[in-house]
Every structure is written in C-alpha cells, then in structure tokens.
C-alpha cells in the first residue's frame, strides 16, 4: 500500500510516498536518487547496500520503509562532506578498490565498526566485515585500510 | 592528482571542438600503421592502430586531460593506460585528469577489455601518442621562440631553453601545436629514461569510489527513464510457451509487459552472442521495486525446448541439445568419455609403447563445476531508442564484438548507435557477452521510452554464461628408476575442452599425448577470468605435485628439472611457453617464500606455477585446517609480466587474483538439477569472505626489460593447485574435485 513517510537521512528530512514494503535501498536509489548505496543481492547477503541506522551498520535491502520512523539514517553520501572521513581517506591511501562497486558498503561497515570499536583486532575486523562480499578480492587491503583509519582517527 | 570527470561532462566533451581561451585537442592521425605487437596469443585479436585521435587535451592553463580508451572493470587501465601517454608527453602526473573515452572507433581504435591484453597492446601505440604530442609542442615552442628544437628540453609539462633560461608551460604552445602536422618520425624513450612508468600510482578514480559516486551503469538515470527487468524460463532447456500478464499489468507503477526475442531466428551467431534464453518477458515500470513485485504476478507457461541449430557467422552450425541437464549426470558423462579415445591434440614420441613398458603408472582424474561470474554489479544497460537511433549507456567489455549483432537485430546502421562506456562493477568475462544491450534496446523501442534494464542477482546467477564444467585425466608412466618416461592428458568438458595441448609439460617429456572431448549441452558458457587455464592449472599442477612425491623429488626442483629439459632440448616444434621465464617465477617464489628452509618446515605449504596470457605466475600458499575450516596464513606470488607500468595497481590485481582463486577453489560451484541452478543468490552461492582471505599476501615481480605481457588473468589459475597441494600437506588427503572445502570433515 502506498503511504507517506518522513525519513531522516544524512541529517535532512525527506518526504517520500512509497509502498510500505519498499526496502530503504530502493527508496534511496529510485526515489531519492542517492545511488552511493548499491544493489548487490537484495537478500542481505553481500553488504553492498550497507547504511547506518542510528549509527549501526544495516543492510538497506532488508529494511522496509515503514520500519524507519524516527530513525537516523546515514548513507555514504552523508558519511562526510568531502570524502574526508578517516575511513574514506584510508581507502584512497591504501588504494583498496578494484572495480569499486562493493566499496561504499565496505566503507559504511568499516565506519560503523570503528565507531563502536576504535581499536579493532584483526579478528574483530574479519568478523565484523564478513557480511561484505568483494569479488575482486580486496579483503587484505580493506583490512589494512581499517587498521590505518583506526590509528588516524 | 585531479580526478576523473562525471558521466555528464564525458558526454559533453565530444561536442566541444575547441577549448575556450585557446587550447589544444590533439587529433593525431596517421595512416602508417603503428608497429604491431607480436602475436596476440589466445584471443587472436588483430591490433588496429592505424589511426590515433583525441587522446590528449591540453588547456592554456596547462591542465591536461588524457582519455583512457579501454572499458574499465577494475583492472585499473584508467590509471595505467594514461600513464603510458603521460610518460612520453613528459608531463607531471599530478597535472593529469583522466576521463573514460566513449565508444568511438575513429578516436580510440582498440576499446577492448579481455584476455589481459590492455597494457600489452597499448604499450607502444599509446606511448607514441604521447611522444607525438610532445614533439608537436616542442616544434611550436621552437617557432615561437625562434630557437632550434635541439636546444629545447621538456619536463613536467614545461618547455625549457637552458641557455637563455626561458621556460613556458605546454599550455602556452598548445594552440599553435594543434595546427602542426603530425610528425613522421616519432622517437620513444628508452626504458631507462622512464620517470612515471614503473612508479606506484594510486587508482585515479579512488576518491570517487570512496564517496559512492554514481560511476556505474546501475547508477545511470535520466528524466523519464523507466526500469525494466526480464522474466525467463526457470531452467536451462526450457522456453516460453505462453503467458498471462493481466494481473501483473495492474500492479502499481507498471507501464507495460511484453515478450522480446533477443535474436532473430536466422541470426548468424558470432562468438560472443551467447545468451541463456532467446525469448524473455520484459516488465517495464516506474521503479525497480514495482517491477520486481509485478514479475511475481506473471503467469507464464514454460515448456521443454526442442533440439535446435544455431548458425555461426562462418556457416558453422552448432546443435543445442534438448533436455533438462543435471550436474551429477554431467560428471557421469565426463567420466564415461574419459574412458574412450578422445580427439588427439598432440602426440610426441611413442606414448602407447612407453605406457605399455612402464614399471609404474599413476592415473588421476580432476573435475571442476560450472562457476558463475558473480560480478558485484548485476548485469544492466541503459538504452534509449528514438526514431532509427539508439543511445546506450553500457557496462560492456568489448563493444566492437556486440555492435554487428545490435546492427543486425535492430536493422539500423552502426552510425545510428552510440555507446557511453561506464565503469563496470566487475566483469571477469561476463560483460564480454553484450546480449543485454540488445534486450535493453528492444525494450526501449517497444516501451517508447528511455529504459534501464537491470538483472536481479537471481537473474544473474541463474541465467549466466558460466565457466564450463571440466574434467582432466592425467597418466604418468615411470621406469624402474622412477624416471618419468611418458605423460598423457585427456581433457574434456561441458560443453568445451579445457586442454591447451602445447603448454607445459608438453615440450619437456619425450612421450606425450594430449586428447580432448566435448559433451554438448544447453547450459550457456563463456569466458571466465583466464578461460580454460583456470582449470588446467588446477589439475596439472596438482598432478605434478603428486608425481613429484612419488619420484621423491621436491616439487619446485622437479618442475625446474622439466623446464630445464624444455629449455635445453625441447620436445616437439610448438611449445607455447618460454621455459626460462617459467623457471624465473619458480625460482623467485622459492627464494621469496623461503621454500625448503628449516624455519618453514612445519608449515603446510603448497606450490603451483602456470603460464597463460603471455605471462608467468608462481604461488606458494601456507594454510591450516581445523575441521572444515581453512585458514590461509600467507600467499607468496611471483609474477613475470614484463615491465610493470603501475606496481601499485599490479600488486592489487595479483592479490585479488589470489583471493578470488582461493575462494573459487574452496567454495565456488554452480550446480544444476533438471536444468535449474541450485544456487540463485549469495545466500546459496558460497563466496570467499573477509575471514577466509589470506592474512598476508606478498607479490614479487621479475624485473626485466620485456614489453608488458598479461596481468589480470595470469595470477589467477595457479593458486587453485597451490591450495590443493597445501591441503594435502595439512590433511594427508589429495583433492581432485573442486570445490575442496565441502570435502573437509567438520
């Protein structure tokens, strides 16, 4: 059923009309034109669509719009104003990306990890990041970038 | 460094004929063919560098724009190819802004991503582009200053006259240089003079990627654009009989639902026209969610397809069999075929006699399943069909290969088709098959609207163009002294053979036999990172490990011994590989990994080496097994790909290849039951994840002066066997069937 919703995304309020079951992923991409959040699987198995919900990393493909009232949503577009979040800077510095498609999801997961665990062990990183798939195989660089961001933030 | 421009300015560039304020756009053209590279190896692509245009734009403020011609899917040619131009142009890399060139045969003669050929084929032509531009700027400066060219030098985008102390930027001379004729004699730098090539440079697109900018086809949008998806048979071997879309059409946001036929019945199939299903139901609507929901309401009737013939471009007919195929049956068929005589691909000496006289024979059979590409960005394309013209925004590896088929299907001339090339969220071969562009164009035409066609992950996994399922049986014959006297490889697959009959160990063994077989199938297959090599290496390098153990030899020493023989006194006339370079990577990986050193005695290690795409790769892996869990401690890779243009990007590729290979070796499989894929998404298709990646990867390059050879594919194949050989050390069990991990006991 189509309903009106008020969503708080990247500290701005957006009024959206959408099917109550429409996942946040498609609200962001198709309605609001915020395409940094990527579609990878639609079943919460790859992490390409990771956003922050009240500061925690969540899969936006699994979040119906009707469940988001009063929540603070942060997408990659809102992580920093100029791409200068410590995790983003580390990603560039470590030259992590190959194709780059999964990386906004990886970065959002990494930023959430560091917020709650500022000095993660290797095991912390591996466990937390396990939900984010990269077919190009940039995992070792992702780990290095997270470690670098941890020491610099 | 300045970053690349967005899609929007990319398009507008082509309309700009000159820069405001007097700039230079180099339209370099010459009809003398640039020196072609040597044989192009596996893909046999004819280099077409007869004319080169529009690679370089210099503004009067001395900002420099370089266009990267090749489609980018993560191999980082958007950095390495412009580096070739910038090196010879003699500019500061920090001055350079890189843009993706759109599909344009006249401007960019070779827009091709595949076969690890990008840097290799661009090595001299793109440096020539930079060198020609530099010479033109020098000539313009010489005329402006009334000084001889011989007294002028260049560096960092500046022309300098040392005697007088004059120094001006390239931008000052750009307008005059643009009016000059193209120089006839273009001199390239010697390798010793490189200032940029060989230095580590970061991916020029990295800042945009880290900000989640809309770089990909999936992200393309414009006013009035509709979303389309396609509904297809639930299983290979089936086809559409009829459908009722009455309920689906009533769903919110749905604009239209109609069937499309990808190719006409009389289509002549070129090599990369493969598509899983020819007739699909297109669903067009306002949003992805609307379309996904409406798809579920379509009542379609599917039927088993009959056997059909497909005519190739050379009137070669292929028979696509009828039936609902299953993986278990494929393996049974391959095993049966391996017991019958195959097609002889190569024979040296008298292998039958040698096997008959052998004191001992070791025979092993290796198998591998189909693999799905699992490109992280699912298949998609934007198309807008207006009048008799169509405009694409397409993630496509090889636009030249699908273009004739688009022309044939749409019945419009090539000039009426434009393709904006977008960054691809992975390719690995999948996006060499551009049928989805035809689908998008047909849907746009019928819907009379700009359309973005997208595949769901389930569509992408279950209707893919897979790495074939393969089998290789090896036999090795030994005399009473455990000397290897004969070698026999019989390889086949569904529906192609993986065999490379002229590769190592051919050339190193007196009595050698290679045979192939194929099993026809209606499962669609195609190129997948290092086609065929990705299985050959797995099987062959596991077998060599096992026979070296029987012979009581160190696995690296044994390989080196065979290669020494191939180098000194090769068997046969045609051996594809260079034994010296092959030995070089084995020696490098041995030394860098500390192979055989006492401090590494307790490690569960495996080694493997392979040649493909004109390059050589060797890997040593250290791993541990606990129950069914594999922990990879370290991978050491040695690579000989000639001169390395960008060591940072090259290392990233080699690291990724190791991780990708370990993942596919341990977990990767696409299996079928009655034509239906058992895996449909990442909840069932097992991909390697963070906690399973190696803790450490070291990459070492052989330093030499050889012109660049392949890089994206060569480090992928050998790791499969390195994993198998290390698993043997860890478990005492040999692994013959991929994927390996399900065979470990928890």
């Amino acid at each position: 059923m189509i309903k009106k919703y008020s969503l708080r995304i990247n500290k701005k309020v957006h009024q959206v009309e959408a099917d109550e079951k429409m996942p946040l992923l498609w609200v962001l991409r198709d309605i609001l034109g915020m395409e940094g959040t990527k579609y990878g699987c639609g079943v919460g198995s790859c992490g390409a669509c990771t956003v922050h919900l009240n500061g925690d990393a969540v899969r936006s493909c699994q979040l119906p719009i009707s469940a988001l009232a009063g929540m603070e949503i942060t997408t990659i577009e809102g992580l920093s104003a100029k791409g200068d979040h410590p995790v983003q800077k580390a990603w560039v510095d470590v030259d992590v990306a190959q194709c780059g498609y999964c990386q906004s999801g990886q970065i959002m997961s990494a930023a959430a990890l560091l917020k709650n665990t500022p000095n993660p062990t290797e095991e912390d990183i591996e466990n937390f990041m396990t939900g984010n798939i990269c077919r190009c195989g940039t995992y070792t660089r992702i780990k290095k970038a997270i470690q670098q961001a941890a020491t610099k933030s | 460094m300045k970053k690349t421009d967005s899609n929007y300015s990319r398009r507008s560039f082509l309309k700009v004929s000159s820069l405001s304020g007097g700039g230079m756009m180099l339209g370099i053209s010459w009809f003398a063919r640039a020196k072609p590279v040597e044989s192009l190896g596996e893909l046999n692509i004819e280099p077409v560098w007869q004319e080169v245009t529009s690679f370089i734009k210099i503004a009067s403020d001395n900002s420099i724009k370089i266009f990267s011609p090749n489609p980018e899917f993560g191999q980082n040619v958007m950095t390495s190819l412009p580096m070739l131009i910038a090196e010879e142009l003699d500019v500061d890399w920090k001055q350079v802004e890189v843009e993706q060139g759109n599909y344009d045969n006249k401007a960019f003669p070779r827009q091709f991503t595949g076969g690890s050929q990008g840097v290799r084929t661009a090595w001299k032509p793109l440096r020539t582009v930079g060198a020609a531009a530099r010479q033109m700027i020098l000539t313009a400066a010489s005329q402006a200053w009334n000084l001889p060219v011989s007294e002028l030098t260049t560096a960092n985008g500046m022309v300098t006259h040392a005697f007088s102390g004059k120094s001006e930027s390239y931008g000052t001379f750009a307008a005059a240089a643009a009016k000059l004729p193209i120089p006839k004699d273009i001199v390239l730098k010697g390798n010793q003079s490189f200032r940029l090539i060989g230095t580590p440079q970061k991916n020029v697109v990295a800042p945009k990627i880290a900000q989640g900018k809309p770089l990909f086809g999936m992200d393309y949008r414009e006013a009035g654009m509709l979303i389309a998806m396609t509904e297809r048979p639930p299983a290979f071997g089936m086809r559409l009989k009829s459908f009722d879309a009455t309920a689906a059409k009533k769903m919110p946001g749905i604009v239209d639902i109609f069937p499309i036929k990808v190719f006409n019945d009389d289509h002549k199939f070129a090599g990369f026209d493969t598509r899983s299903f020819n007739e699909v139901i297109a669903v067009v609507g306002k949003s992805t969610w609307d379309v996904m929901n409406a798809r579920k309401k379509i009542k379609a009737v599917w039927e088993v397809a009959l056997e059909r013939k497909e005519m190739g471009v050379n009137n070669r007919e292929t028979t696509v069999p009828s039936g609902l195929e299953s993986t278990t049956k494929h393996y049974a068929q391959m095993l049966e075929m391996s017991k019958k005589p195959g097609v002889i691909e190569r024979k040296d000496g008298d292998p039958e006699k040698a096997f008959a006289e052998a004191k001992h024979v070791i025979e092993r059979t290796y198998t591998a399943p189909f693999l799905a590409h699992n490109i992280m960005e699912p298949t998609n394309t934007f198309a807008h069909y207006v009048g008799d013209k169509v405009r694409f925004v397409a993630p496509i590896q090889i636009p030249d290969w699908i273009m004739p088929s688009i022309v044939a299907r749409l019945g419009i001339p090539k000039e009426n088709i434009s393709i904006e090339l977008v960054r691809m969220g992975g390719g690995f071969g999948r996006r060499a098959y551009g049928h989805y562009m035809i689908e998008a164009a047909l849907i746009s035409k019928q819907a009379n609207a700009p359309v973005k066609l997208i595949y769901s992950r389930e569509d992408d996994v279950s209707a893919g163009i897979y790495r074939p399922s393969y089998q290789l049986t090896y036999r090795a014959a030994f005399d009473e002294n455990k000397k290897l006297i004969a070698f026999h490889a019989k390889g086949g697959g569904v529906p192609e053979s993986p065999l490379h009959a002229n590769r190592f160990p051919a050339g190193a063994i007196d009595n050698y036999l290679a045979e192939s077989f194929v099993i026809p199938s209606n499962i669609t297959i195609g190129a997948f990172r290092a086609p065929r090599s990705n299985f050959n290496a797995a099987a062959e390098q596991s077998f060599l490990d096992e026979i070296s153990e029987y012979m009581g030899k160190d696995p690296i020493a044994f390989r080196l011994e065979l290669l020494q023989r191939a180098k000194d006194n090769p068997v046969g006339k045609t051996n594809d590989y260079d034994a010296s370079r092959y030995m070089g990577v084995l020696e490098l990986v041995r030394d860098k990994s500390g192979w055989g050193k006492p401090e590494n005695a307790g490690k569960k290690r495996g080694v493997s080496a392979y040649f493909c795409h004109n390059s050589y790769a060797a890997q040593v892996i250290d791993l541990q097994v606990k129950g069914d869990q594999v922990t990879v401690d370290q991978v050491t890779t040695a690579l000989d790909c000639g001169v390395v243009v960008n060591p940072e990007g090259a290392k990233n590729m080699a690291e990724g290849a190791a991780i990708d290979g370990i993942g596919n070796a341990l977990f990767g499989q696409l299996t079928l039951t009655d034509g239906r894929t058992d895996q449909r998404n990442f909840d069932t298709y097992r991909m390697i994840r963070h906690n399973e990646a190696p803790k450490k990867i070291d990459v070492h390059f052989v330093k030499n002066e050889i012109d660049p050879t392949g890089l994206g594919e060569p480090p992928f194949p050998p790791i499969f066997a390195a994993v198998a050989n290390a698993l043997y050390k860890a478990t005492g069990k040999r692994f013959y069937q991929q994927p390996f991990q399900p065979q470990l006991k928890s």
Side-chain angles (χ1 to χ4, degrees):
Chain A
M1 194 192 295
I2 308 282
K3 288 184 181 173
K4 283 186 182 175
Y5 296 94
S6 177
L7 298 181
R8 200 171 153 75
I9 304 169
N10 300 333
K11 296 181 177 148
K12 276 187 197 160
V13 177
H14 296 262
Q15 307 295 336
V16 176
E17 268 187 51
D19 172 29
E20 59 190 334
K21 288 181 187 160
M22 188 189 273
L24 174 61
L25 168 68
W26 298 114
V27 175
L28 291 169
R29 293 185 58 84
D30 282 359
I31 299 178
L32 298 172
M34 298 165 73
E35 298 184 297
T37 306
K38 307 298 182 191
Y39 166 64
C41 70
V43 297
S45 287
C46 79
C49 68
T50 304
V51 299
H52 296 173
L53 193 66
N54 295 337
D56 292 328
V58 292
R59 313 299 177 216
S60 64
C61 72
Q62 297 300 296
L63 286 176
I65 188 170
S66 55
L68 300 172
M71 305 275 199
E72 182 74 43
I73 299 158
T74 308
T75 69
I76 185 95
E77 290 89 351
L79 190 62
S80 67
K82 293 174 181 168
D84 51 1
H85 184 283
V87 170
Q88 290 171 306
K89 281 160 74 177
W91 240 252
V92 174
D93 193 52
V94 175
D95 209 34
V96 169
Q98 285 187 30
C99 87
Y101 191 78
C102 73
Q103 300 296 352
S104 33
Q106 304 273 4
I107 287 169
M108 293 308 284
S109 286
L113 164 68
L114 292 180
K115 201 174 169 203
N116 297 318
T117 315
N119 292 299
T121 62
E122 279 199 41
E123 207 180 345
D124 290 337
I125 297 173
E126 287 171 12
N127 290 338
F128 194 85
M129 298 298 293
T130 285
N132 287 78
I133 295 175
C134 171
R135 163 79 214 268
C136 298
T138 62
Y139 295 134
T140 47
R141 282 180 186 245
I142 288 172
K143 191 193 278 179
K144 193 176 163 196
I146 294 172
Q147 287 166 331
Q148 186 171 310
T151 55
K152 289 189 178 171
S153 59
Chain B
M1 185 191 315
K2 288 181 190 174
K3 303 182 292 274
T4 58
D5 271 3
S6 71
N7 297 337
Y8 303 97
S9 55
R10 241 180 259 166
R11 273 198 305 284
S12 62
F13 157 72
L14 291 174
K15 294 171 196 150
V16 177
S17 55
S18 65
L19 295 171
S20 59
M24 169 192 191
M25 197 177 100
L26 279 175
I28 308 170
S29 250
W30 67 84
F31 294 95
R33 190 190 175 101
K35 186 175 177 259
V37 293
E38 60 273 29
S39 154
L40 281 163
E42 305 188 335
L43 283 169
N44 282 324
I45 309 139
E46 182 69 13
V48 279
W49 294 102
Q50 290 99 334
E51 61 173 35
V52 182
T53 64
S54 307
F55 283 93
I56 302 166
K57 199 155 74 165
I58 301 175
S60 50
D61 67 353
N62 212 26
S63 54
I64 290 163
K65 196 169 271 192
I66 297 181
F67 288 82
S68 181
N70 289 13
E72 171 69 63
F73 66 4
Q75 80 280 39
N76 206 5
V77 282
M78 269 189 88
T79 308
S80 54
L81 296 185
M83 281 173 76
L84 300 177
I85 296 176
E87 173 70 64
E88 298 284 349
L89 187 57
D90 229 2
V91 291
D92 183 352
W93 184 238
K94 291 187 182 71
Q95 284 175 272
V96 175
E97 190 177 336
V98 174
E99 273 192 42
Q100 172 71 58
N102 284 329
Y103 178 63
D104 184 342
N105 281 150
K106 291 197 176 85
F108 309 116
R110 188 187 179 280
Q111 298 186 283
F112 188 105
T113 291
S116 295
Q117 307 271 346
V119 170
R120 181 167 184 247
T121 50
W123 175 242
K124 278 179 183 150
L126 288 197
R127 284 166 59 212
T128 306
V129 166
R134 176 181 165 274
Q135 287 188 45
M136 289 158 78
I137 287 163
L138 274 173
T139 304
S142 134
Q143 288 169 359
W145 288 343
N146 201 20
L147 288 165
V149 167
S150 59
E151 289 182 15
L152 305 179
T153 56
T154 58
N156 296 322
M158 302 291 288
V159 185
T160 301
H161 183 246
F163 295 125
S164 64
K166 277 185 184 189
S167 192
E168 291 278 0
S169 78
Y170 281 13
T172 310
F173 309 110
K179 296 191 182 82
L180 294 171
I182 304 298
K184 285 201 178 92
D185 300 311
I186 296 163
V187 182
L188 299 181
K189 288 182 182 176
N191 291 12
Q192 307 76 10
S193 307
F194 291 153
R195 298 179 197 181
L196 182 61
I197 289 172
T199 63
Q201 299 298 335
K202 296 189 199 314
N203 184 340
V204 296
V205 195
K208 288 191 172 181
I209 290 169
Q211 292 175 76
K213 296 287 185 196
L215 303 167
F216 302 94
M218 199 62 123
D219 303 336
Y220 185 81
R221 55 197 286 137
E222 62 178 53
M225 183 184 87
L226 300 175
I227 299 291
M229 297 183 87
T230 50
E231 194 67 12
R232 56 183 61 73
F236 284 94
M238 298 195 86
R239 68 179 181 192
L240 178 64
K241 187 179 181 192
S242 63
F243 73 98
D244 175 2
T246 316
K249 278 184 181 174
K250 288 180 186 155
M251 294 289 284
I254 294 309
V255 174
D256 205 355
I257 297 174
F258 48 85
I260 57 164
K261 213 170 191 180
V262 185
F263 291 115
N264 290 324
D265 293 334
D266 61 353
H267 183 70
K268 300 239 174 178
F269 282 84
F272 281 69
D273 281 347
T274 309
R275 79 281 178 246
S276 300
F277 300 98
N278 203 50
E279 202 172 0
V280 296
I281 306 164
V283 183
V284 186
K286 288 183 178 151
S287 80
T288 313
W289 185 244
D290 291 336
V291 173
M292 283 178 164
N293 285 325
R295 283 180 69 177
K296 294 176 197 157
K297 302 283 182 185
I298 294 174
K299 288 176 187 150
V301 181
W302 315 102
E303 62 184 359
V304 173
L306 302 173
E307 179 186 288
R308 66 176 196 275
K309 312 265 186 208
E310 285 185 355
M311 192 61 83
V313 279
N314 302 320
N315 290 329
R316 206 184 71 174
E317 202 176 66
T318 306
T319 301
V320 181
S322 176
L324 303 179
E325 301 175 24
S326 297
T327 295
T328 46
K329 190 166 173 219
H330 286 150
Y331 282 133
Q333 284 174 299
M334 288 196 286
L335 201 59
E336 193 187 325
M337 289 298 282
S338 71
K339 290 173 180 143
K340 296 176 186 170
V343 177
I344 294 177
E345 304 282 349
R346 174 169 172 150
K347 191 172 175 179
D348 296 322
D350 193 342
E352 289 85 358
K353 183 165 173 277
F355 274 100
E357 292 172 357
K359 285 283 173 285
H360 185 68
V361 171
I362 297 178
E363 177 179 327
R364 298 289 181 261
T365 294
Y366 300 81
T367 59
F370 290 98
L371 294 175
H373 288 87
N374 294 330
I375 42 178
M376 286 309 293
E377 178 200 15
T379 302
N380 66 82
T381 281
F382 169 87
H384 193 187
Y385 197 112
V386 185
D388 60 350
K389 292 196 167 107
V390 63
R391 180 167 62 84
F392 291 102
V393 179
I396 176 87
Q397 289 180 224
I398 309 161
D400 271 339
W401 284 4
I402 194 63
M403 199 54 140
S405 301
I406 296 173
V407 167
R409 180 63 181 90
L410 301 181
I412 57 174
K414 192 183 173 193
E415 299 70 51
N416 290 9
I417 300 165
S418 72
I419 307 173
E420 179 183 322
L421 297 174
V422 278
R423 188 175 189 83
M424 292 174 269
F428 310 102
R430 175 63 185 87
R431 289 190 230 265
Y433 304 85
H435 59 90
Y436 47 87
M437 293 177 68
I438 296 171
E439 293 165 19
L442 293 170
I443 295 168
S444 171
K445 187 180 182 186
Q446 176 76 26
N448 195 24
V451 160
K452 181 166 68 181
L453 168 69
I454 68 173
Y455 281 34
S456 69
R457 175 60 59 193
E458 289 82 0
D459 296 335
D460 224 66
V461 173
S462 66
I465 295 177
Y466 309 111
R467 197 287 300 269
S469 183
Y470 291 128
Q471 180 180 280
L472 257 163
T473 301
Y474 289 110
R475 289 195 302 147
F478 303 91
D479 68 10
E480 61 279 8
N481 300 316
K482 291 190 174 181
K483 182 176 180 282
L484 177 62
I485 54 171
F487 195 89
H488 178 199
K490 189 186 287 179
V494 187
E496 68 159 24
S497 161
L499 211 64
H500 283 292
N502 295 323
R503 287 198 185 160
F504 183 74
I509 301 162
D510 289 316
N511 303 299
Y512 175 92
L513 177 63
E515 293 175 272
S516 71
F517 64 85
V518 295
I519 292 166
S521 168
N522 56 36
I523 315 299
T524 42
I525 61 102
F528 181 108
R529 194 176 203 170
R532 299 173 290 283
S533 301
N534 58 39
F535 175 65
N536 280 316
E540 166 203 301
Q541 292 288 311
S542 296
F543 188 64
L544 290 184
D545 205 75
E546 189 164 351
I547 63 174
S548 72
E549 187 186 35
Y550 167 76
M551 295 164 81
K553 293 184 177 185
D554 172 80
I556 292 182
F558 171 56
R559 285 169 174 83
L560 289 172
E561 200 179 284
L562 288 174
L563 286 160
Q564 189 68 48
R565 163 71 205 275
K567 185 183 170 186
D568 295 342
N569 181 23
V571 181
K573 283 182 189 139
T574 312
N575 294 313
D576 290 344
Y577 57 96
D578 177 329
S580 301
R581 291 179 76 186
Y582 217 137
M583 292 170 81
V585 290
L586 274 163
E587 286 161 354
L588 186 62
V589 87
R590 178 193 65 198
D591 298 345
K592 294 292 182 184
S593 69
W595 184 265
K597 299 277 183 203
E599 63 268 28
N600 295 319
K603 289 183 178 168
K604 309 302 179 191
R605 326 192 96 177
V607 65
S608 176
Y610 200 69
F611 155 80
C612 70
H613 299 87
N614 313 290
S615 287
Y616 301 79
Q619 283 151 331
V620 167
I621 191 170
D622 298 332
L623 55 73
Q624 302 173 53
V625 177
K626 274 186 197 152
D628 63 353
Q629 302 289 310
V630 180
T631 305
V632 179
D633 295 315
Q634 188 168 348
V635 173
T636 308
T637 294
L639 200 53
D640 179 353
C641 55
V643 173
V644 179
V645 174
N646 178 12
E648 188 69 47
K651 275 188 183 171
N652 199 346
M653 283 306 292
E655 291 164 9
I659 294 173
D660 189 14
I662 291 166
N664 278 299
L666 290 176
F667 312 116
Q669 60 176 333
L670 183 99
T671 56
L672 296 116
T673 306
D674 296 331
R676 191 178 188 276
T677 65
D678 299 318
Q679 300 76 20
R680 303 182 83 79
N681 203 324
F682 294 139
D683 50 357
T684 42
Y685 198 110
R686 185 77 163 79
M687 304 278 282
I688 190 169
R689 291 176 181 268
H690 272 276
N691 57 324
E692 293 150 344
K695 307 297 174 201
K696 189 166 182 271
I697 304 175
D698 289 330
V699 180
H700 306 276
F701 295 100
V702 174
K703 288 186 176 59
N704 58 35
E705 296 280 302
I706 297 168
D707 288 355
T709 50
L711 175 62
E713 286 159 302
F716 181 65
I719 196 77
F720 288 73
V723 170
N725 297 337
L727 284 176
Y728 169 67
K729 293 288 181 189
T731 65
K733 211 183 125 194
R734 292 279 176 189
F735 289 77
Y736 302 106
Q737 189 162 9
Q738 294 175 37
F740 305 136
Q741 190 271 343
Q743 296 159 59
L744 295 169
K745 300 266 189 306
S746 59

